[in-house]
Structures are given as structure tokens and as C-alpha cells.
Amino acid sequence: MENKTNKNGDARLMKGNEALAEAALRANIDAYFGYPITPQSEVIEYLTREVPNRKEIKTVVLQAESEVASINMVYGAAGAGARVMTSSSSPGISLMQEGISYIASAQLPCLIVNVVRGGPGLGTIQPSQGDYFQATKGGGHGDYHLIVLAPASVQEMADFVFDAFKLAEKYRNPAMILADGALGQMMEKVILPEAGSLPKAPAPWATTGKPKDRDHNIITSLFIQPEEMEKVNLRLQEKYEAIQSEVRYEEIKTDDAEILLVAFGLSSRICQKTVDLAREKGIKVGLLRPITVYPYPYARLKELANQVEFMLTVEMNAGQMVEDVRLAVEGKVPVYFIGRMGGMILSPEDILHKVESVKEK
Amino acid sequence: MEIKVDELAGVKYTAKDFASDVDVKWCPGCGDYSILAQVQRSSPDFGERKENIVWVSGIGCSSRFPYYMNTYGFHGIHGRAGAIATGVKLANPKLQVWVATGDGDMLSIGGNHFIHLCRKNIDVKVIMFNNRIYGLTKGQYSPTSEKGKVTKSSPFGTVDFPFNAVKLATGAGATFVARSFDRDPKHLQDMINRAAKHHGAAFIEVYQNCPIFNDGAFSLLTEKETKPDNVIVLEHGKPLVFGANKEKGIKLDGLNPVVIDLSDGKNSVNDCWIHDEFDDNPTRVFLLARFSDIPNFPVPIGVFRQFSKPTYDKDYVQQISDIQAKKGAGTYEKLMYTTNIWEVR
């Protein structure tokens, strides 16, 4: 899924939230609905500022009265066939869960961006990865999944907007970008995707009015007969099976690795440094970074379990993705965990120390 | 534990008794400091032990309020303070329950809970700090921002129309509706004290300056030079007059309020509208509330309306005791063996 980048090398220094918003404009979104919440308010601020300056853009940007309203506006616009997105941070994403479940059931494409902050509850405005379970295992009610991309750089904050819409429209499924407060706020060099380079998939199912030659169409998630509801579920499950082929991950120095770090998003950036520090000491550490956290790279982790002594999962939470790593390796190798919570971030040295202490056991 | 009224005898509080030891963290110059001070100064007059007072809030700058009060406190969920306060009051109707909220918290996501708190006439007192901006998220427009307002999320001006909170509370059925300013300490204390004495859903809108993101939003109404011509103080049984020398008044011409000049010899104070707080017809309250939306009309402060209506919490407790008086108190056995039972043989 390589994105076409501007031939002129459109490189800029941008905040993650702003790069994401700019990419959304370049993806020609029809609508954005959102509500301010730290640390992602820059998204709506950037969009409201930029849209009127660009003649070619006809995006609707609306500050809703709440995240509940935002996600329902997204539901409405997606049902009408629009390329639509919302963004928020953890407490706001919790508010959206009801709508997300309905959108998943009604099989509509849209993009939901979660710039995660520390929880639970109102928590803190500092970065966290505490919403992994919510993003990958459901969050709302019923058997559904989002397609979840976890960026680890400002570049990916921009690129994954394109990737997420591509996948959402291909599978008629809501997609999520699972970032965190640091990725949203930090500034890095970014080469922006070329504007208009993401063609829109046809949406024959959309509620665009009923001409004579078209069947009556209602967007719904209500299927009161259990036989019918089961069929809808089977169709969803078949789709999630197909989505497994979209799994993406990055490997760093895994060829000869004897110890494997597993980390996504910001934690994976920290782990890269740990890999270098460990190798300076002669410890052969590698890193696997899931890029999609749903679908998850179970198969590759299972393979690597034949090669390494142990795995160490590194997360900014109490240990969530570690459960998927353990599922993947099926007990072949020990899987350890190190993490911090509440907006605290591990240092590369903390992780190295953990590697060394496990190794000495 | 029930605290008997006579235990209050001999307890004399001062404002300091209601100040917690938490450092107050609002921006320098924030109007919230004044609201906090006026609440603390008024609290000794509530006639309640501080252990029986609960401050509930949602999310936003205003919602830091419970930390600063030396009473029980509840920092809740965005917009949900009304629902949480309802829960607190119904679980223990003996508590005096207050809500500290803002225009964003209470009128955006909290709008639903707010109107139902008013409709049910829950005995909860709501102080809404209205600065017409989202302060905590650093300056986006709120549901009370004036149309066309330029903010971080409306760089070319807002398109939507603001709520008039007094109208909303009145329409939803609040039984005490008032407005005051952060910059008028005595008036604000008076409103707080009157809300404290009221039984039922009480709402005070406090115009509050946010010096960082919406500085001067109410300066026309609070500055010495402009205040007299732009503010009208509502007092029960008194004529609606304003101006530095009370030289202007409001006359009701049918359903149209008209500003009249009392110094021109044609009109006198006898022509002015006499404010009636206890009028149970809300029509005049809506006319008064509309003043703030009409250009060149003075903005009313004071009690718009107060009337007595059974409160949900009292009626609910009453209903249960009435049924118990008729049928006797329920027991587990009665519940299990008296209604709709059958034997499987």
C-alpha cells in the first residue's frame, strides 16, 4: 500500500494532528464531524482554518455538540455515501462506541481517529496506549471489528488516513487510526500524500434517493429475526476473515534475533533505540511492530517463536497487546511484559534493563 | 448517618470553613475565582452542615469547583453532572446538592440531562458559569457563543445560533431561574443564597469572564461606565428601570417590551412593567429572557422566576410511604408468595 507522494517532494515540518488533518483534506473527505478534546483539538482547528482557503475542497467541517452527536453524524454521512471521518481522544471515543457498533453492523465505511490519552475515566491528557482492547476487541456491543492502523510517526499519521479510507471502502467497514497524545502533538518531517490521489470506491448501497430502477434501500442494523441476524453475523465474520489478508507489520533486526521485542505505535519507536543499545552490548534483540493491530500478525509471531528465546511486549498500558502475543506463540516461548501507565513513557534503558534481567533468569 | 437539625445549633461557619486546602488552579484573572469566593461566603448562611452539602461537576474549567470546596465533592463526566446530581439526591434526599458547570459542559453534551433535571424538578441547584467559550480545550466556540464568533474552531465565524440559557431552563420547567455576574459579588451572593433556600430545580446563569480565550465578553455589562445603560436589575414587585439615574424604563406594549424615557415628561415610572417573580405563567419570563438577544436592550440580572412545585425527590419518597401506609411495608416473603405464583407438579 505505497502512497503516491508529491513529485515535488512536498516535505513539511508538522504536528501529527495537523499532518493527519492535511492528509484528510488531500484524501478529499466529504465531511468531518468532531468535538474538541485534548490532545487532538488541532484536527478540527486545522480543518476549519484550511477548508475555506482551498477552492477545490468542498469538505463539510462541523463542531458537534458532543462525540455522541459526531459519530451519529458520521453514521448519517457514511450512509449517504460520503467519505467521512471523526477524531477524538479516549473519553470521546468511549462515547462513540454505540454508534461505532451500529456503523459496523450496517457495514458502512468511515474513519475514526483516536489520539489516545491516559485513562480510565477522565484520566490525563498525556499519551497512552490504554485503548488497545477497546480498539481491537470491540468496545461497543456485538461481534464486530474495526480495521485498526497504529501509526508510529507523523509521516504515518498522514499516510494512514489514505490507507484507512482505502481499507474502509474496500471492506465497507469502519477503520480506526489508533495514535496517541505524543504522536498527535509532536512535530516531525512529513511528506504529504498527493492531493486527490485516492479514488473513491463506488457506493451503490448508499442512500442517494430511489430512482425507478433501484431497489428500496434502508441503512439499518436491526435484524429482529434471529435467523436473519445470524446471517448478517456470518457475513461480517466472512468479511473479517478476508480482512486478515491486510495484515501489516514491520520487522527490525529480526533475522538473527534471539530476543524479540513486540511493540506498536510510539512504544515501537522507543524499542528501536533499545534494539541498538542491546546490540552494542552484544545482545541480539529484534523488534516486531504490528502496523495493523486488527488484523493482527499472529502468523508471523508464531514463526518467530521458533527462533527466539523469549519475547518482551512493550506497551504504554497495563498489558493489553501482550495477550495477542501470547495467543500467537501458543506457549512455545515465554512472553514477558513491560509497560507504564497513566501517561508515563518508558525509556529505551528501562526496556533494556528488563531484557537483561529476564535473560539472567 | 442522619444528622439531626438540632446538631446544627452552635455550629457557626465562616467562609474559610468552606475553603479546601487544594491549590486553586484557574488562570490568573479568571472569573471563576469570584464565583468560588461568593459561594464560600454564602455557604455559612445555607443552614446546612457542610457534611450535608455535595458539589457535583462535569468536565471543564468550572468543573474543578468541587476540589476547592470543603464539602463533599464529585468530579463527574462531561455533561453528566445533572444526571449524577440526580442520583446523589435520590439516593440521599437529605443532602443539599449543588452542580457547578459551564456553558460547554451543561449545554452541549449535557443539554439532555439538564432539561430533564429541570423537568423533573429535582431539588438540585445548578450554577452555570457562562463564558461563551470552551476554555479547557483552549478556545473553541460553545453553544452560547454569539453567532459569527471567531474562535479556533470557527476562524471565519460561527454559523450556528446560541442558546439563551434562561429561556432553556424556563422552558424545561426549572422552578428557580436567575442570572448574575462574576463581577458583581453582592448580587451573586444574593442569588446563591436564594437558590440555596429554594426547593426544586434551581438554575443560576453566571456571566463569567475568561481572560485568556474570551476576554471582555461581558465588559459592556460589567464596566462602571457602561453597566447602568446595559444592565437591568430584576427585583420582585419593583418597576423595570435602568440607567445611571434610573431615567429609563421598560414598558410592556401588549407582548412587546419597549424602552421608555422617564425623563421626557411623557412617561413615568408608573408606566413601567412591574416584575413578578412568582407569576406562574412563564410568558413574561420569556419576554424578559429575550432582552439579552435584542440589540440596545438592557440585559436582566436577578431572579427571573421562582415558584413552588412538588419536587421529584419528595414526591418519590412520598409515593413509597403512601403505598407502605396502605399495604404495609414489603417483605421478601410477601413479594415471593403473594403475586402470580404457581406450583409445578
Side-chain angles (χ1 to χ4, degrees):
Chain A
M1 269 191 291
E2 284 296 298
N3 288 317
K4 272 197 249 170
T5 49
N6 196 320
K7 281 172 196 137
N8 302 325
D10 193 359
R12 297 188 198 178
L13 183 69
M14 291 182 96
K15 259 191 179 191
N17 286 334
E18 294 188 339
L20 177 130
E22 177 61 36
L25 291 178
R26 289 167 180 241
N28 286 343
I29 54 166
D30 297 305
Y32 171 94
F33 304 104
Y35 187 84
I37 182 170
T38 312
Q40 68 75 54
S41 300
E42 292 84 1
V43 178
I44 191 169
E45 289 171 6
Y46 188 92
L47 292 173
T48 48
R49 201 164 68 227
E50 285 301 318
V51 166
N53 295 333
R54 311 213 191 161
K55 266 189 205 156
E56 72 283 6
I57 291 174
K58 300 270 181 275
T59 305
V60 171
V61 183
L62 191 150
Q63 178 181 299
E65 65 271 28
S66 68
E67 292 84 352
V68 180
S70 305
I71 195 68
N72 283 285
M73 289 173 186
V74 167
Y75 191 9
R83 181 172 280 169
V84 57
M85 69 178 283
T86 183
S87 65
S88 188
S89 179
S90 308
I93 298 291
S94 292
L95 278 163
M96 293 183 187
Q97 292 303 325
E98 179 191 50
I100 293 173
S101 169
Y102 280 58
I103 294 169
S105 179
Q107 299 207 64
L108 298 176
C110 66
L111 170 59
I112 302 141
V113 179
N114 186 358
V115 183
V116 182
R117 59 190 245 183
L122 189 58
T124 168
I125 57 174
Q126 300 303 325
S128 160
Q129 296 181 322
D131 298 356
Y132 178 89
F133 280 152
Q134 186 197 52
T136 61
K137 311 294 177 195
H141 57 284
D143 282 309
Y144 77 91
H145 284 286
L146 306 176
I147 298 165
V148 188
L149 293 152
S153 62
V154 172
Q155 182 64 55
E156 288 184 342
M157 289 288 276
D159 290 346
F160 287 3
V161 172
F162 275 57
D163 295 343
F165 274 119
K166 227 180 272 177
L167 291 167
E169 287 168 13
K170 181 174 172 187
Y171 292 101
R172 278 183 61 188
N173 200 71
M176 174 175 275
I177 292 179
L178 184 68
D180 67 66
L183 288 166
Q185 295 297 321
M186 73 187 193
M187 293 183 88
E188 284 188 316
K189 182 183 138 184
V190 54
I191 296 168
L192 291 157
E194 192 182 341
S197 63
L198 185 63
K200 205 167 149 214
W205 39 265
T207 53
T208 50
K210 189 191 170 302
K212 278 184 184 168
D213 57 350
R214 188 182 157 172
D215 283 343
H216 190 197
N217 181 25
I218 295 178
I219 301 283
T220 182
S221 67
L222 174 71
F223 306 95
I224 203 92
Q225 295 301 329
E227 294 82 1
E228 201 190 348
M229 187 73 252
E230 189 177 47
K231 268 187 203 156
V232 170
N233 268 288
L234 288 169
R235 203 157 62 227
L236 287 176
Q237 293 304 317
E238 206 179 311
K239 181 167 86 173
Y240 301 142
E241 196 51 47
I243 287 172
Q244 300 308 312
S245 66
E246 305 288 351
V247 71
R248 286 169 66 186
Y249 50 88
E250 181 188 13
E251 291 184 43
I252 290 171
K253 299 187 179 159
T254 51
D255 288 350
D256 62 343
E258 290 162 6
I259 295 160
L260 187 71
L261 301 179
V262 189
F264 72 97
L266 192 73
S267 296
S268 71
R269 291 282 292 269
I270 300 163
C271 286
Q272 285 184 28
K273 181 74 181 165
T274 306
V275 169
D276 294 341
L277 292 175
R279 284 181 178 262
E280 279 168 25
K281 288 186 152 188
I283 312 169
K284 287 183 176 169
V285 175
L287 168 67
L288 185 134
R289 165 173 86 103
I291 294 172
T292 54
V293 283
Y294 189 91
Y296 194 78
Y298 293 109
R300 181 57 187 145
L301 279 166
K302 193 179 171 183
E303 277 172 18
L304 285 165
N306 295 322
Q307 174 191 323
V308 301
E309 284 167 36
F310 66 87
M311 295 187 187
L312 174 64
T313 307
V314 183
E315 301 176 67
M316 286 148 61
N317 56 38
Q320 299 191 13
M321 186 184 73
V322 65
E323 295 191 3
D324 282 320
V325 179
R326 289 191 177 128
L327 272 178
V329 305
E330 294 174 352
K332 269 186 199 154
V333 290
V335 177
Y336 298 94
F337 168 76
I338 183 171
R340 291 199 73 175
M341 293 164 280
M344 299 303 290
I345 297 177
L346 287 158
S347 73
E349 291 77 12
D350 294 335
I351 303 163
L352 179 62
H353 182 73
K354 177 79 179 181
V355 167
E356 288 175 324
S357 67
V358 172
K359 208 173 141 58
E360 279 162 23
K361 266 187 194 170
Chain B
M1 188 184 71
E2 190 178 334
I3 292 174
K4 288 178 190 143
V5 177
D6 60 1
E7 285 179 44
L8 249 184
V11 178
K12 283 222 168 99
Y13 293 126
T14 65
K16 270 190 184 168
D17 292 311
F18 289 91
S20 77
D21 52 6
V22 176
D23 286 343
V24 183
K25 279 184 195 162
W26 284 311
C27 305
C30 178
D32 291 4
Y33 285 98
S34 167
I35 302 173
L36 176 65
Q38 306 332 319
V39 168
Q40 288 171 343
R41 280 172 199 158
S42 309
S43 295
D45 299 329
F46 292 173
E48 286 285 349
R49 292 182 71 97
K50 56 184 181 179
E51 302 91 310
N52 284 356
I53 299 174
V54 186
W55 277 90
V56 182
S57 68
I59 304 297
C61 297
S62 61
S63 292
R64 296 195 58 76
F65 204 87
Y67 296 113
Y68 308 141
M69 288 298 295
N70 191 15
T71 63
Y72 280 102
F74 204 135
H75 190 185
I77 304 178
H78 194 38
R80 315 299 183 198
I84 293 169
T86 299
V88 171
K89 185 67 188 176
L90 293 182
N92 187 354
K94 292 185 179 67
L95 298 174
Q96 188 184 66
V97 183
W98 292 79
V99 167
T101 182
D103 45 314
D105 189 43
M106 199 49 120
L107 299 183
S108 280
I109 193 168
N112 185 30
H113 304 301
F114 175 59
I115 58 175
H116 290 283
L117 183 143
C118 296
R119 176 181 69 80
K120 290 177 185 150
N121 198 31
I122 314 270
D123 189 8
V124 164
K125 302 136 198 342
V126 178
I127 302 187
M128 191 189 84
F129 306 14
N130 183 2
N131 55 16
R132 295 185 173 159
I133 199 82
Y134 289 163
L136 195 71
T137 51
K138 302 190 180 82
Q140 300 84 8
Y141 65 97
S142 91
T144 56
S145 295
E146 55 279 20
K147 186 170 165 60
K149 187 168 192 67
V150 172
T151 70
K152 274 194 196 159
S153 59
S154 58
F156 303 93
T158 55
V159 184
D160 41 349
F161 296 94
F163 263 134
N164 179 320
V166 167
K167 270 197 224 168
L168 185 67
T170 303
T175 46
F176 177 96
V177 180
R179 182 190 284 144
S180 192
F181 293 123
D182 55 355
R183 294 280 296 273
D184 197 337
K186 281 206 171 138
H187 187 265
L188 180 52
Q189 283 176 42
D190 186 31
M191 294 302 108
I192 293 165
N193 269 312
R194 295 187 60 188
K197 303 279 183 300
H198 180 77
H199 296 288
F203 175 72
I204 308 175
E205 176 183 37
V206 183
Y207 285 160
Q208 169 249 324
N209 192 43
C210 172
I212 309 296
F213 297 109
N214 200 16
D215 195 23
F218 304 105
S219 57
L220 197 67
L221 311 179
T222 53
E223 293 304 314
K224 256 188 192 163
E225 305 75 48
T226 52
K227 184 177 176 180
D229 286 329
N230 291 287
V231 172
I232 191 160
V233 182
L234 303 175
E235 286 177 279
H236 178 67
K238 301 252 176 86
L240 296 188
V241 292
F242 65 109
N245 303 306
K246 304 282 175 211
E247 74 283 9
K248 288 184 271 191
I250 307 283
K251 189 173 97 174
L252 251 190
D253 181 8
L255 283 178
N256 279 325
V258 187
V259 176
I260 52 173
D261 185 350
L262 303 178
S263 62
D264 65 359
K266 289 180 203 157
N267 301 291
S268 85
V269 75
N270 297 327
D271 298 316
C272 291
W273 171 349
I274 308 291
H275 181 50
D276 179 5
E277 288 175 1
F278 305 98
D279 187 356
D280 62 4
N281 180 342
T283 309
R284 287 185 185 219
V285 181
F286 287 115
L287 295 178
L288 279 174
R290 228 184 119 234
F291 284 14
S292 54
D293 304 334
I294 311 173
N296 303 322
F297 255 69
V299 172
I301 63 168
V303 177
F304 284 74
R305 185 187 202 209
Q306 61 165 318
F307 66 106
S308 185
K309 200 167 89 171
T311 64
Y312 185 97
D313 34 289
K314 276 227 172 102
D315 267 17
Y316 178 75
V317 172
Q318 190 63 45
Q319 189 179 53
I320 291 172
S321 64
D322 285 353
I323 294 166
Q324 286 179 344
K326 219 189 276 174
K327 295 187 175 175
T331 63
Y332 175 74
E333 281 72 24
K334 264 197 217 167
L335 179 70
M336 290 305 289
Y337 299 113
T338 53
T339 56
N340 210 14
I341 58 164
W342 64 90
E343 263 182 77
V344 180
R345 288 172 188 271

